[in-house]
Amino acid sequence: MTVATAKKPRTRRPQPTPCPTCKGTGEASRLIRTGPLRRVVGEQTGMCLACLGTGHAPE
């Protein structure tokens, strides 16, 4: 006969903090400027270099 043992309660893994640069999206936007007056003509989106696109804050 076996004796039942008490199960340990499951603990949840804490949520990682979002990257402050991209706010957890993994993408960062930069303004595109052109001309002698350096006017803004558009926006370019790319991978966040702080978190390398994961969206989690670097440690």
Side-chain angles (χ1 to χ4, degrees), residues 30-43:
R30 303 295 299 220
L31 295 177
I32 304 299
R33 299 176 183 268
T34 187
L37 299 177
R38 306 298 292 164
R39 293 177 303 170
V40 176
V41 294
E43 191 174 281

Side-chain angles (χ1 to χ4, degrees), residues 20-55:
T21 305
C22 65
K23 298 174 182 62
T25 62
E27 293 182 342
S29 298
R30 303 295 299 220
L31 295 177
I32 304 299
R33 299 176 183 268
T34 187
L37 299 177
R38 306 298 292 164
R39 293 177 303 170
V40 176
V41 294
E43 191 174 281
Q44 184 177 19
T45 303
M47 184 174 72
C48 176
L49 297 177
C51 66
L52 299 176
T54 62

Side-chain angles (χ1 to χ4, degrees), residues 5-11:
T5 59
K7 290 185 179 181
K8 292 182 181 179
R10 285 189 172 183
T11 56

